Amino acid sequence: MGVVNVTPDSFSDGGRWFEPAAGTAHGRELLAQGADLLDVGGESTRPGAVRPPLEEELRRVLPVVRDLVAEGALVSIDTMRAEVAEQALHAGAVLVNDVSGGLADPAMVPLVARTGAPFVAMHWRGQSDHMDDLATYDDVVTDVRVELGARLRALADAGVDLSRVVLDPGLGFAKRAEHNWALLARLDELAVLHRPLLVGPSRKRFLGSLLAGPDGAPRPPQERDDATAATSVLVALAGAWCVRVHDVPATADAVRVVAAALAAGERHPVTDLDALAAHHGVTR
Ligand code: PMM
């Protein structure tokens, strides 16, 4: 999934694709580079961000959604607002990506239930202006698993078809660096929720601080793409359905490398434990 931020203030690429024509051109470029899906968003969720008014968010995203759909792209709408999601779906978007998992706008879950739109529900604890204060966990992976499980139950209770729901651990959202690393290292523990996973590591703060220079200053967002691609390898190896990135070429290559290696491993008798056991006459 390639990111098309039509915002003046995203932490990673703020302002670069703010005008609709620039957003559309950027989406076209990401498609040519191998993105399977384009995630169009008009609200920055960077820590401390202030929300744009509804009309402004609509003005930012709708022309870009319309133009990219017209070019044959699969477009997802990155929004916490039901009204934006509904108009984007009407304009041809095929998926709703809500970083609040339906918690920010009470009209979102009913919309998803009514339209049957595929829905990405991310782990979220509160708006960006105070989310850093909410990063307290006993064990982050267990807590995120339990909270995402509760979201699934709420979605099911509201009539959402869970077969159309994708879950996301929400890297960087009410998470400190150590929380993000634990989630990446133990992504497989979310498999018990039996839903596909989307993960969004791209250019986030935990990569900037990992790659800090000798003066301790974080690596700037635009210089975090190699680390993002390395993270995409981890995400793909854990079997995730989708990785959301700003820089598509390296991640498109990385996920194909992992897919090829996993496919080859599946055929290999040494890693096929049943075949190995049969070969040695061992009962498993
Ligand atoms: N991260 C951002 C925005 N949208 N959506 C999902 N599903 N998962 C994420 O991790 C996520 C997201 C923040 O990054 P950006 O402002 O650079 O796009």
Side-chain angles (χ1 to χ4, degrees):
M1 173 187 275
V3 179
V4 182
N5 279 329
V6 199
T7 56
D9 57 346
S10 280
F11 75 97
S12 51
D13 52 2
R16 290 192 68 192
W17 329 113
F18 186 39
E19 287 310 314
T24 302
H26 185 53
R28 197 179 294 132
E29 184 186 10
L30 299 182
L31 278 183
Q33 291 171 338
D36 297 313
L37 259 172
L38 297 176
D39 193 38
V40 177
E43 171 177 357
S44 167
T45 48
R46 74 173 200 291
V50 174
R51 306 195 68 192
L54 168 66
E55 287 306 321
E56 171 63 12
E57 190 180 343
L58 286 167
R59 191 196 67 77
R60 291 178 187 178
V61 295
L62 285 181
V64 179
V65 171
R66 244 181 246 121
D67 287 351
L68 290 171
V69 167
E71 297 192 21
L74 288 179
V75 172
S76 106
I77 179 72
D78 184 353
T79 187
M80 288 184 268
R81 289 183 168 127
E83 180 66 26
V84 177
E86 182 156 23
Q87 294 205 32
L89 289 170
H90 194 65
V94 295
L95 183 149
V96 176
N97 174 26
D98 179 352
V99 298
S100 82
L103 287 169
D105 180 346
M108 182 65 93
V109 174
L111 171 79
V112 172
R114 178 161 47 80
T115 57
F119 185 60
V120 178
M122 199 190 79
H123 178 262
W124 185 85
R125 284 185 162 182
Q127 295 290 356
S128 301
D129 57 357
H130 65 286
M131 68 180 173
D132 286 353
D133 303 332
L134 305 172
T136 48
Y137 299 92
D138 289 330
D139 173 70
V140 65
V141 183
T142 307
D143 294 354
V144 165
R145 194 188 69 224
V146 168
E147 288 168 38
L148 284 176
R151 284 315 296 147
L152 280 181
R153 274 190 299 282
L155 291 169
D157 289 347
V160 172
D161 173 0
L162 294 191
S163 74
R164 303 178 82 73
V165 176
V166 172
L167 295 176
D168 181 335
L171 299 183
F173 287 80
K175 317 277 182 328
R176 288 195 300 275
E178 67 265 29
H179 300 136
N180 297 322
W181 290 118
L183 285 161
L184 281 171
R186 295 162 54 198
L187 267 184
D188 55 327
E189 291 179 34
L190 301 181
V192 295
L193 297 169
H194 298 293
R195 299 308 322 131
L197 288 184
L198 183 152
V199 184
S202 192
R203 297 184 179 170
K204 284 189 176 163
R205 282 179 296 174
F206 73 110
L207 299 177
S209 36
L210 176 76
L211 305 172
D215 58 355
R219 177 88 65 86
Q222 259 83 358
E223 295 170 30
R224 300 174 189 167
D225 286 332
D226 292 346
T228 297
T231 313
S232 296
V233 172
L234 300 177
V235 170
L237 272 175
W241 171 70
C242 186
V243 55
R244 178 185 181 279
V245 294
H246 301 87
D247 176 62
V248 164
T251 282
D253 288 356
V255 298
R256 282 162 181 80
V257 165
V258 173
L262 288 178
E266 272 163 24
R267 287 194 301 269
H268 198 283
V270 173
T271 53
D272 179 344
L273 293 184
D274 289 324
L276 194 66
H279 184 73
H280 290 280
V282 176
T283 310
R284 297 184 76 216

